[in-house]
């Protein structure tokens, strides 16, 4: 009897799995949402907050187990770990207001300490006159300035790659001793294959002339790359996006974790519904409004 019982149990289990797989390929039941946001990183969550201000109840779908995307904060045995540094700084009063509303007194103002390690020496960033001259030495400093002067007299044309753009902005020598090695180490792509548009976005409004002006007369508030103070949540950037998640749920929205989008259904150019879930079970969700912040 025991052997028969085990066989029956196995058969029942197989039948259950077969039915679940068959259900995957059939059209799942349809739910409707006011609006659907794909991705619970900073872009997706703030889009959902904007929907709430418009009187709509968003459904946010996140494939990971935690909100925040690459700006999340993981927890392990009571310790918090950020996935890279994410400073909070914006010239937009509206953006700053959204951040402050979410975590209020836990949004702390902190001094920035960024340094470049080159030739066994730490260089402050934003640059400081005496620290820079002492670290590079007079001869190397003159070479950097001469290289920059040459790039201004005879700039790279056309500007196609990261190398072209940075060389025009900082001179060939400074590009080679800092930007080239750092960029290729971090991104794993030769600077000759990165586009100039990417450099212009990453190093917006910054050039050697701006750096030198900042050394002589502080202008850091005008250039994002030169700020020396920033805001930061007291328990890491993930704290901001957990607060956004709670705000969404408290106002009638929903945030689903471990809910990867597997299919987008559309009629012509109009998205009508999405499918989300896992290998076992899929759910269909239709809406009049869709926002996707998933990685391309």
């Amino acid at each position: 009897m025991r052997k028969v019982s085990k066989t029956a149990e196995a058969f029942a289990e197989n039948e259950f799995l077969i039915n679940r797989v068959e259900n995957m390929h059939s059209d799942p039941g349809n739910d409707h949402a006011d609006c659907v946001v794909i991705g619970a990183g900073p872009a997706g969550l703030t889009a959902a907050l904007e929907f709430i201000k418009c009187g709509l109840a968003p459904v946010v779908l996140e494939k990971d187990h935690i909100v925040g995307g690459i700006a999340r904060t993981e927890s392990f045995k009571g310790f918090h770990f950020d996935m890279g540094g994410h400073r909070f700084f914006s010239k937009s009063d509206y953006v700053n207001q959204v951040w402050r509303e979410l975590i209020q007194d836990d949004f702390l103002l902190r001094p920035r300490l960024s340094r470049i390690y080159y030739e066994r020496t730490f260089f402050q960033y934003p640059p400081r006159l005496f620290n820079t001259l002492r670290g590079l030495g007079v001869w190397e400093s003159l070479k950097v300035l001469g290289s920059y002067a040459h790039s201004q007299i005879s700039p790279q044309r056309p500007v196609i790659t990261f190398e072209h753009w940075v060389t025009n902005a900082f001179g060939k020598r400074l590009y080679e001793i800092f930007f080239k090695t750092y960029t290729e180490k971090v991104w794993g792509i030769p600077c000759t294959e990165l586009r100039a548009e990417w450099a212009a976005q990453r190093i917006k409004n910054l050039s050697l002339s701006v750096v030198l002006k900042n050394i002589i007369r502080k202008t850091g508030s005008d250039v994002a790359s030169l700020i020396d103070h920033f805001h930061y949540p007291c328990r890491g950037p993930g704290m901001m996006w957990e607060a956004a998640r709670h705000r969404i749920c408290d106002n009638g929205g929903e945030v689903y974790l471990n809910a990867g989008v597997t299919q987008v259904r559309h009629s012509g150019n109009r998205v009508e519904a999405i499918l989300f879930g896992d290998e076992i079970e899929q759910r269909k969700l239709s809406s009049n409004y869709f926002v996707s912040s998933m990685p391309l």
Side-chain angles (χ1 to χ4, degrees):
M1 288 295 292
R2 183 177 299 171
K3 188 174 183 179
V4 171
S5 176
K6 284 188 175 180
T7 303
E9 288 176 4
F11 178 78
E13 185 176 349
N14 286 337
E15 280 288 299
F16 172 76
L17 291 174
I18 290 170
N19 288 334
R20 294 294 291 272
V21 172
E22 287 178 347
N23 288 336
M24 282 175 57
H25 297 287
S26 62
D27 197 20
N30 184 47
D31 294 322
H32 186 82
D34 287 354
C35 44
V36 175
V37 177
I38 303 171
L45 291 171
T46 48
L49 290 172
E50 291 300 307
F51 276 127
I52 285 174
K53 291 179 181 179
C54 295
L56 301 173
V59 172
V60 183
L61 305 173
E62 170 56 50
K63 71 174 182 178
D64 210 340
H65 69 288
I66 188 172
V67 300
I70 61 173
R72 68 189 183 276
T73 299
E74 296 277 3
S75 297
F76 179 73
K77 295 185 177 181
F79 294 93
H80 300 292
F81 297 89
D82 300 337
M83 300 294 107
H86 288 84
R87 293 185 285 258
F88 287 76
F89 169 79
S90 177
K91 295 180 182 178
S92 167
D93 292 336
Y94 183 75
V95 171
N96 285 308
Q97 180 184 346
V98 170
W99 288 338
R100 290 193 191 97
E101 286 177 352
L102 283 172
I103 55 175
Q104 300 177 17
D105 292 341
D106 289 327
F107 199 40
L108 309 177
L109 182 65
R110 287 293 178 262
R112 170 180 177 176
L113 176 60
S114 297
R115 296 187 294 178
I116 302 164
Y117 187 64
Y118 175 69
E119 292 292 332
R120 298 186 178 183
T121 302
F122 283 106
F123 292 84
Q124 292 179 347
Y125 190 88
R128 298 291 182 266
L129 178 60
F130 294 111
N131 171 260
T132 303
L133 292 176
R134 185 168 57 249
L136 285 178
V138 175
W139 181 238
E140 186 63 43
S141 299
L142 290 174
K143 286 182 179 179
V144 167
L145 292 173
S147 175
Y148 174 69
H150 181 268
S151 71
Q152 299 308 294
I153 296 169
S154 181
Q156 296 272 0
R157 292 287 186 267
V159 180
I160 299 172
T161 68
F162 180 94
E163 180 177 299
H164 294 154
W165 193 95
V166 177
T167 297
N168 285 350
F170 293 91
K172 186 77 169 179
R173 191 161 189 87
L174 201 56
Y175 158 74
E176 289 179 342
I177 65 177
F178 172 59
F179 288 96
K180 182 179 188 295
T181 52
Y182 170 81
T183 302
E184 293 182 350
K185 179 180 70 174
V186 171
W187 299 101
I189 302 172
C191 291
T192 52
E193 295 180 15
L194 289 168
R195 300 291 295 181
E197 292 85 355
W198 184 82
Q201 178 61 33
R202 294 285 298 182
I203 322 172
K204 191 179 341 183
N205 299 327
L206 188 62
S207 67
L208 185 57
S209 62
V210 173
V211 172
L212 292 173
K213 289 177 184 176
N214 188 70
I215 289 174
I216 299 167
R217 182 179 61 84
K218 186 173 174 53
T219 59
S221 59
D222 297 326
V223 180
S225 300
L226 295 177
I227 62 165
D228 55 11
H229 283 77
F230 59 91
H231 283 91
Y232 200 76
C234 67
R235 288 188 294 279
M239 182 183 187
M240 180 73 73
W241 310 120
E242 284 292 346
R245 174 191 178 187
H246 291 305
R247 178 73 60 87
I248 292 163
C249 294
D250 290 344
N251 286 274
E254 295 178 277
V255 179
Y256 290 104
L257 301 178
N258 300 307
V261 173
T262 58
Q263 191 178 121
V264 177
R265 295 190 174 180
H266 56 89
S267 176
N269 291 329
R270 182 175 179 81
V271 176
E272 295 185 331
I274 54 93
L275 266 63
F276 71 97
D278 53 32
E279 295 179 355
I280 302 300
E281 186 175 6
Q282 299 279 299
R283 289 180 60 184
K284 182 180 177 184
L285 191 58
S286 63
S287 179
N288 294 325
Y289 305 100
F290 292 88
V291 172
S292 174
S293 66
M294 70 166 65
L296 292 177

